[in-house]
Amino acid sequence: MDADDILSYPGQPEEKEDPQKSTSQTQVLTNYSKLTLKVKHIHVYRVEIINLDASTSTAMHTTDQESDHSPPIIPIREVQEQPIRCAVFQKAQQSSPELQKLVFDEKNYAYSGKNTHKKWKDLDGQQYILDIPYSTNDFACTFQLSVKHQRSYDVDTLEKYCRGETDLKANSGYIQGMMFALDTVLRLGARVFTDVDGRNMDPAMKINTVCGFDILWAYRFTTKAGRNALYVNVSAKSVPITNQPNLLLLSKALLKTKRDIADEVQSASSAVPVSAWASKVGPILVDLAVQIPGSSDEHRVKAVTTRSAQEQAGPEGDDCSIVQHYKRRFGLHTTDPQAPCAQLADDTLVPLEHCVLSRPQYLRLFRGPAHDHLMLRSAIKPAARMALLQHAIDMLVKAESRELATIGMQINQKLETLPAQVLSPPKILGKDRKPLEIQKHQYWSYTADSKIENSKQLVSWAVVVFASKEIVPLNQISTFISQLVKTSQDTGLDVRNTQPPIQYAAATSDIKHTLEDACNAASKQAKASAQLIVCVLPSSSSALYGEIKRVALTVVGVQTQCVRSHNARGANRTKLLSMIALKINIKLGGTSLSLSPKDRPCMDIPTMVVSADVSHNTETRNMSVAAIVSSVDLQASRFQGTVMQHPQRLEYIENYDAIIRQCLRAFYAATRQKPQRIMYYRDGVNDSQMDTVKRLELQAIYKGCSLIEPGYRPKVTMVIARKRHSTRFVLQQQNADEMQNCVAGTVIKDAITSPSIYSFFAASHSSIHGVTKAPYYLVMHDDSNFDPQELRQLTYNLSFTYPISMRTATMPASLYYAHRLSGAGRLQLNHPFNELPRFQSPEKTAEEKEKASSKNKKKKKKQVEPELHLVPVHKNIEGTMYFM
């Protein structure tokens, strides 16, 4: 394929009305308002501010001995401090009419809708220079302000882009630069709200809590180029803001239990060991700004000590505790000497009680019951959230900010209502090809008449409890296993052994030895190799969970199912037990359901579904983890996965051709057919990386196919799915569900989608709490030229195939598999990076080797190629859906 073909994007196709396709039309309310630009150009200026007295000021601080000599020549320093830059530019605007039409971004650039630079005389109308004397209580000096015209954007070009009349794409530098300029001006114009710790908020919408914080709504405004128009997107995020006078009262409020919160007590009712404060509230308090005795400056919290203030020794040379030190020096009494101290950035230790919160601040790392309370209180109904966003738009428009007027931005005060369609749910099949009844477009259940499609026999299995019998008694585990067996059988799982051996082990025991003992016990009882080990864990410790998964999947070679002890001790929980039963069946090689043939549009010929995701938040040397899953049957029900680690933070997947070859071999081994079509769903790629990811990964897919057989080239359709966006939809009241949310299957394909790339929003399920977040799909490449309605329907239908749930997923199931592998695979396999096996690329042809050799000879310096590693999996686990 030519490079031009790979870099071209499918445009928005023409819709063909088909009366046989059952869809219904509706209207949705969005969090977008139309934006109109009343100027012809947007001009960008570079702002430089230098201190003309920098060398003089430095010479003033020399000693008497140094003053006998000439002062050193020091380069004039450019001012980097944001408050000084803002103050100098503001004073310049007051004294110079030439600068009053500029909007300063408080950093390095200014924007205007007028060609102000044409009136400047310096440097042919390209630069304006002005000397500004400036003084404060601390210093007085002269600054030189230089404003230079950098470039101009044509608004007409942006409007043509929205109408699809240009060849520009969303990721082109021209469009991105113009949208960045509009976003910057909009952000500055949104300062009509109260600034709380650097966020635009409205205190009138505050929600009070008893957890040491109030919930405020942080508003964010961004611009978006839609089809035929520009839009402003408004979103609101619930933010916890401190409401306590000092760190001690804040910490006690954050340490409240769920019962304390329900009873609205003032502080935690149960005593918390001082050693636990550092782990429970320490991460939340880090980086908070406090004022301490003896200092008028703000200090940042670095950590919380593990010993109480009474036990903590005072400063060096002061033979007393911290409590006594503050009483002697400042006359301050510490009411709770058993509480820990705050360690500040300069390592000063201060009792929490004496760390004063002089202003409301944002709490960042949040956890525990207080976080649950935040989520509960901020999960408002969709209609209430849209009313909140409408209130934000009203405030922004009525404020008539100077910044928006300067750039000629006019915002419609009414949120947009857009047309949408609701897709019909597919027919999903269970055992004996019997259809399962779907309720409200997204729910179904397994009954005596409709069980899972393909059940596997569970014969040899065991249970390991990583806790003592005092914490998890044997009778409770026996009851839990009995309930699990019954629920599994009701669901359709063929459990032959209803009383597996139960063993107890310490959480600190040798995991390999423990799992091997459990496998031997299961094999001895069932006279067959162990299929599954159910592990009951005492807590949600990722260390224990990760080690169990690593040993089971890479050393012992047995499937595991982990359950937390409080779930095992609880009463009969049908939903939880049903989910566990479905996960066990999938890991053993079974399937829960499948789509009927007519509900698999775009899969009329042998089709392999591939999904990939790359995760960058890894603990090992900032490695990136790439996960690729591919279907191994014609129904796209069974998948196999590959996890690979990159030593560099790459968004695209290297050596993808070899992985695709492995996927094709697995598909052929299971179906005895080569796929004629590849449906490729890719997760999480932003605009700036779309070209790179598409070009490299599409080329790798085609190359991987040619490695199977020269000339073999199936049709490829590539779709990028995004969940990280701020677009929200709410159906009109008469069409909404009980939560006032969009019903599952709602599709928006007009107005706010990309004007240059075929894209659509599709809500595959309706949220239980809050507003449904519909994924955004961009069709990057399509060899098959699918009917757009069929592609949308397939994307929606594939969300029904997520096998461990009895409701639709938010995206096609394969994307969830890839996400589980990329995010949790590194935790499950938990393998030291330097011990992973080298990934071998496919063998190069003689011509490729010759070209590589000639290139290497021309290189003056030897370059080290990046090492790529496959995460190992035991041979007993290979090809299974162990990642579920």
Side-chain angles (χ1 to χ4, degrees):
M1 173 172 284
D2 296 337
D4 294 340
D5 295 335
I6 287 183
L7 291 179
S8 63
Y9 293 90
Q12 202 77 17
E14 295 183 3
E15 298 287 338
K16 300 178 182 178
E17 295 186 3
D18 188 350
Q20 295 182 352
K21 295 178 180 178
S22 54
T23 60
S24 58
Q25 303 299 318
T26 186
Q27 297 284 322
V28 294
L29 179 65
T30 70
N31 58 337
Y32 285 86
S33 290
K34 274 192 176 180
L35 170 64
T36 305
L37 296 178
K38 296 297 184 180
V39 295
K40 294 183 178 179
H41 296 88
I42 299 174
H43 305 282
V44 184
Y45 301 87
R46 173 76 179 182
V47 178
E48 293 183 358
I49 301 176
I50 58 177
N51 183 1
L52 296 179
D53 300 329
S55 58
T56 304
S57 300
T58 305
M60 290 172 59
H61 294 286
T62 58
T63 62
D64 294 338
Q65 182 178 359
E66 293 171 337
S67 62
D68 296 336
H69 306 280
S70 300
I73 300 176
I74 297 177
I76 297 176
R77 184 176 70 91
E78 182 174 358
V79 179
Q80 301 294 338
E81 294 81 359
Q82 183 176 346
I84 298 179
R85 293 180 68 88
C86 294
V88 171
F89 193 91
Q90 185 177 5
K91 188 173 182 179
Q93 283 185 313
Q94 295 172 356
S95 61
S96 176
E98 289 84 354
L99 301 179
Q100 291 179 358
K101 294 295 184 180
L102 298 182
V103 178
F104 183 44
D105 70 351
E106 302 178 354
K107 295 179 181 178
N108 301 310
Y109 293 95
Y111 305 90
S112 177
K114 302 290 184 180
N115 55 352
T116 309
H117 57 281
K118 295 297 183 182
K119 302 177 182 179
W120 297 345
K121 298 179 180 179
D122 299 338
L123 298 180
D124 299 326
Q126 295 297 312
Q127 187 171 0
Y128 186 83
I129 300 176
L130 183 67
D131 292 346
I132 305 293
Y134 183 78
S135 63
T136 66
N137 294 332
D138 300 326
F139 66 91
C141 56
T142 301
F143 295 97
Q144 184 181 86
L145 173 70
S146 171
V147 182
K148 184 177 182 180
H149 178 254
Q150 184 158 338
R151 73 172 304 170
S152 297
Y153 293 105
D154 185 11
V155 173
D156 184 59
T157 301
L158 179 60
E159 293 175 348
K160 288 182 179 180
Y161 165 74
C162 293
R163 296 192 298 267
E165 298 175 359
T166 67
D167 295 332
L168 294 174
K169 300 300 178 183
N171 56 350
S172 68
Y174 192 86
I175 297 298
Q176 286 187 340
M178 195 181 310
M179 299 307 297
F180 178 80
L182 293 176
D183 276 342
T184 302
V185 175
L186 183 60
R187 173 179 57 83
L188 297 170
R191 291 188 173 177
V192 298
F193 300 92
T194 303
D195 187 344
V196 181
D197 204 17
R199 289 166 174 79
N200 297 319
M201 301 183 185
D202 182 10
M205 311 300 289
K206 179 174 63 177
I207 302 175
N208 297 317
T209 74
V210 295
C211 299
F213 60 85
D214 294 327
I215 300 174
L216 277 75
W217 297 98
Y219 298 116
R220 183 171 181 264
F221 298 88
T222 56
T223 57
K224 180 179 178 64
R227 298 182 66 190
N228 301 315
L230 289 170
Y231 294 92
V232 169
N233 173 263
V234 53
S235 59
K237 178 184 178 181
S238 59
V239 176
I241 301 295
T242 59
N243 62 4
Q244 297 297 315
N246 58 56
L247 292 186
L248 179 63
L249 295 178
L250 174 62
S251 300
K252 289 185 175 182
L254 292 173
L255 288 171
K256 290 179 180 179
T257 63
K258 291 183 178 180
R259 178 171 295 182
D260 293 336
I261 296 174
D263 295 341
E264 297 186 358
V265 299
Q266 294 300 317
S267 60
S269 59
S270 58
V272 178
V274 66
S275 59
W277 285 53
S279 60
K280 291 190 175 183
V281 299
I284 306 177
L285 303 184
V286 167
D287 209 35
L288 287 181
V290 297
Q291 288 186 333
I292 62 175
S295 174
S296 59
D297 298 330
E298 285 189 340
H299 299 263
R300 294 287 176 177
V301 178
K302 179 180 178 181
V304 174
T305 61
T306 56
R307 294 196 297 173
S308 67
Q310 185 67 47
E311 300 170 336
Q312 197 75 44
E316 187 177 354
D318 195 351
D319 187 17
C320 63
S321 67
I322 287 289
V323 172
Q324 295 171 335
H325 168 74
Y326 275 84
K327 186 175 182 179
R328 291 178 184 176
R329 183 173 180 184
F330 303 104
L332 297 175
H333 176 65
T334 304
T335 58
D336 190 354
Q338 299 304 318
C341 295
Q343 182 181 358
L344 306 182
D346 58 358
D347 292 331
T348 302
L349 298 181
V350 185
L352 294 180
E353 184 176 352
H354 304 320
C355 294
V356 178
L357 294 165
S358 58
R359 56 184 174 85
Q361 297 180 60
Y362 168 54
L363 296 175
R364 289 169 175 81
L365 292 176
F366 226 42
R367 59 181 67 178
H371 177 267
D372 298 339
H373 187 64
L374 169 67
M375 294 293 101
L376 180 64
R377 294 293 300 275
S378 60
I380 59 178
K381 289 187 176 181
R385 181 174 286 271
M386 299 306 286
L388 183 72
L389 300 180
Q390 181 64 67
H391 170 72
I393 285 289
D394 292 341
M395 289 187 63
L396 179 62
V397 174
K398 292 178 181 178
E400 298 180 351
S401 67
R402 184 193 70 86
E403 291 82 2
L404 301 186
T406 300
I407 210 74
M409 299 176 70
Q410 292 188 357
I411 303 173
N412 188 355
Q413 194 166 341
K414 186 178 180 181
L415 294 177
E416 287 293 305
T417 300
L418 302 177
Q421 63 176 184
V422 180
L423 304 177
S424 298
K427 181 185 292 186
I428 54 177
L429 307 177
K431 188 176 182 180
D432 299 329
R433 312 295 290 173
K434 291 182 179 180
L436 303 176
E437 183 181 357
I438 299 177
Q439 301 175 357
K440 300 179 181 179
H441 285 223
Q442 62 178 344
Y443 298 102
W444 64 90
S445 60
Y446 298 101
T447 63
D449 297 329
S450 55
K451 298 186 177 182
I452 56 179
E453 181 185 36
N454 180 18
S455 171
K456 294 297 181 179
Q457 291 184 356
L458 181 56
V459 178
S460 179
W461 61 303
V463 181
V464 178
V465 183
F466 288 91
S468 64
K469 291 185 178 181
E470 289 75 17
I471 298 177
V472 186
L474 180 60
N475 61 334
Q476 290 184 355
I477 292 296
S478 300
T479 302
F480 169 74
I481 295 300
S482 299
Q483 293 175 352
L484 177 60
V485 169
K486 182 179 183 305
T487 305
S488 300
Q489 292 175 339
D490 293 341
T491 304
L493 181 61
D494 188 5
V495 183
R496 298 296 179 89
N497 182 6
T498 60
Q499 294 182 342
I502 301 175
Q503 298 181 353
Y504 281 81
T508 57
S509 62
D510 187 329
I511 302 299
K512 178 177 179 294
H513 180 72
T514 301
L515 293 183
E516 287 178 344
D517 285 349
C519 290
N520 293 334
S523 302
K524 183 177 180 180
Q525 184 191 60
K527 303 295 189 295
S529 299
Q531 299 171 277
L532 175 75
I533 304 297
V534 176
C535 300
V536 181
L537 308 184
S539 65
S540 58
S541 169
S542 60
L544 177 59
Y545 173 78
E547 183 63 10
I548 290 174
K549 289 296 183 180
R550 184 189 72 82
V551 173
L553 299 178
T554 64
V555 180
V556 179
V558 64
Q559 300 282 5
T560 57
Q561 177 58 52
C562 295
V563 183
R564 291 180 62 180
S565 58
H566 77 273
N567 290 326
R569 291 195 304 265
N572 188 7
R573 300 179 180 181
T574 305
K575 289 186 178 180
L576 174 65
L577 296 174
S578 297
M579 185 188 71
I580 294 175
L582 293 175
K583 293 182 72 171
I584 292 174
N585 184 60
I586 291 299
K587 291 177 180 179
L588 296 181
T591 56
S592 299
L593 52 82
S594 63
L595 298 170
S596 66
K598 71 173 186 177
D599 288 307
R600 297 196 296 267
C602 311
M603 295 179 64
D604 52 319
I605 56 178
T607 302
M608 182 175 71
V609 178
V610 180
S611 288
D613 188 18
V614 178
S615 173
H616 300 295
N617 54 343
T618 59
E619 293 89 352
T620 310
R621 303 180 189 174
N622 291 326
M623 299 293 173
S624 298
V625 176
I628 303 93
V629 297
S630 62
S631 59
V632 291
D633 62 3
L634 299 177
Q635 295 79 30
S637 298
R638 295 289 307 172
F639 283 76
Q640 63 91 31
T642 301
V643 184
M644 184 172 64
Q645 291 191 355
H646 298 249
Q648 299 176 352
R649 294 178 61 86
L650 301 176
E651 181 58 42
Y652 63 89
I653 303 173
E654 286 194 341
N655 281 359
Y656 202 24
D657 50 351
I659 298 176
I660 289 296
R661 179 177 63 174
Q662 176 184 335
C663 295
L664 292 169
R665 286 174 173 174
F667 185 90
Y668 183 81
T671 64
R672 310 311 300 174
Q673 299 183 64
K674 290 186 296 186
Q676 300 178 34
R677 179 178 292 144
I678 295 177
M679 294 294 303
Y680 180 35
Y681 286 96
R682 181 67 156 85
D683 190 17
V685 180
N686 58 34
D687 285 342
S688 63
Q689 296 177 324
M690 279 198 312
D691 276 348
T692 302
V693 171
K694 178 186 176 182
R695 174 173 55 84
L696 296 178
E697 293 187 2
L698 268 182
Q699 289 177 345
I701 290 175
Y702 289 125
K703 184 177 180 180
C705 295
S706 64
L707 292 174
I708 293 292
E709 180 182 343
Y712 170 55
R713 186 180 178 129
K715 297 180 179 180
V716 178
T717 299
M718 180 180 181
V719 181
I720 287 179
R722 291 181 183 169
K723 281 278 293 197
R724 294 184 179 180
H725 59 77
S726 55
T727 301
R728 301 292 186 272
F729 307 104
V730 174
L731 280 181
Q732 300 301 320
Q733 185 63 35
Q734 61 270 22
N735 298 321
D737 62 7
E738 65 271 15
M739 279 294 296
Q740 301 175 334
N741 250 320
C742 291
V743 298
T746 302
V747 171
I748 296 89
K749 54 186 176 60
D750 298 312
I752 57 175
T753 56
S754 173
S756 59
I757 303 175
Y758 172 31
S759 55
F760 58 92
F761 292 90
S764 299
H765 83 155
S766 183
S767 298
I768 300 176
H769 299 289
V771 185
T772 298
K773 189 174 184 179
Y776 184 41
Y777 299 95
L778 296 99
V779 183
M780 310 299 293
H781 187 78
D782 186 13
D783 287 334
S784 300
N785 295 321
F786 286 127
D787 176 62
Q789 181 66 17
E790 289 185 346
L791 186 56
R792 292 192 292 264
Q793 187 72 53
L794 174 66
T795 301
Y796 171 51
N797 291 356
L798 288 176
S799 68
F800 283 78
T801 60
Y802 194 55
I804 63 173
S805 176
M806 287 175 284
R807 62 175 296 173
T808 55
T810 58
M811 298 183 293
S814 58
L815 282 170
Y816 260 99
Y817 302 152
H819 181 70
R820 291 179 72 99
L821 268 178
S822 66
R826 57 188 173 84
L827 173 65
Q828 292 176 343
L829 300 173
N830 198 21
H831 207 287
F833 175 76
N834 55 7
E835 297 179 12
L836 296 180
R838 274 299 301 269
F839 179 80
Q840 300 296 330
S841 303
E843 293 185 2
K844 296 181 179 180
T845 62
E847 183 179 356
E848 291 175 334
K849 289 181 179 179
E850 184 178 352
K851 289 182 179 180
S853 178
S854 61
K855 288 182 179 179
N856 290 334
K857 290 180 180 179
K858 295 180 181 179
K859 291 181 180 179
K860 296 182 180 180
K861 294 183 179 179
K862 184 178 180 181
Q863 297 180 355
V864 180
E865 294 184 358
E867 294 183 354
L868 298 174
H869 302 262
L870 284 180
V871 175
V873 178
H874 195 277
K875 62 179 182 180
N876 295 345
I877 307 297
E878 288 180 352
T880 67
M881 298 180 69
Y882 63 89
F883 43 84
M884 299 303 294

